[in-house]
Amino acid sequence: MIVAPLRPEQIGEVQKLMELGEPYISARTLSDYWLYATLFSSTCPIAITDDGTVVGAVIAFQSQDDPAEVYVQDVMTHPQHRRRGIVRTLLQNVRSQAEARGCRRLYLTSEPDNRAAHASWTALGFVNTPGNHEVAGVSVISDFKGPGRDRAVYQLNLDQK
């Protein structure tokens, strides 16, 4: 497996990969992925098999409001390639980029009922931040992404050198 920054020639494959994440991931437009590949490629790594197939992707951004934070927007592994450490490898790549830039934390959100995501994030060292209510033992912040868009929020504090 090769890990590389997202490039414009791979956006169609990444969009198709993200479509497999429904209902928890909503694939973005080709225009959005073009922006990710040209403006944020260093924090948008993809996993590619030896035959050139994209089997995993992370879309993440360094905050402009608080440059010490990196927000992980989407994480997806092709269903036929799960449980092989792809997400761990991709997120380690994002973490390395963030640490090199002096960032203090990675954070992401998840649908409150996405139990598989909750298990993944906690296994990778992310902490479910306190919210204002719980759903099946997961702390949730009401309206985090707008009215009616409750989210579980996870953070990973980064080492400061």
Side-chain angles (χ1 to χ4, degrees), residues 69-81:
E69 297 186 336
V70 172
Y71 174 65
V72 178
Q73 176 177 288
D74 291 321
V75 177
M76 184 64 190
T77 302
H78 191 283
Q80 294 176 346
H81 294 268

Side-chain angles (χ1 to χ4, degrees), residues 110 112 129-135 138-153:
S110 184
T129 62
N132 55 9
H133 69 283
E134 284 192 8
V135 173
V138 175
S139 188
V140 177
I141 300 173
S142 298
D143 303 328
F144 187 81
K145 285 196 167 183
R149 301 204 54 200
D150 299 359
R151 293 293 182 272
V153 179

Side-chain angles (χ1 to χ4, degrees), residues 20-97:
L20 299 174
E22 291 286 344
Y24 297 115
I25 295 176
S26 296
R28 314 300 172 181
T29 67
L30 290 174
S31 179
D32 290 333
Y33 290 114
W34 180 86
L35 288 171
Y36 306 153
T38 58
L39 298 177
F40 303 102
S41 64
S42 66
T43 55
C44 295
I46 59 173
I48 308 166
T49 61
D50 292 338
D51 69 1
T53 304
V54 175
V55 295
V58 169
I59 305 297
F61 316 97
Q62 186 172 3
S63 173
Q64 292 181 358
D65 293 332
D66 184 352
E69 297 186 336
V70 172
Y71 174 65
V72 178
Q73 176 177 288
D74 291 321
V75 177
M76 184 64 190
T77 302
H78 191 283
Q80 294 176 346
H81 294 268
R82 290 188 178 148
R83 307 190 73 68
R84 298 181 188 177
I86 293 171
V87 167
R88 180 178 299 278
T89 300
L90 292 172
L91 285 173
Q92 182 55 49
N93 183 280
V94 171
R95 179 182 184 155
S96 294
Q97 292 291 329

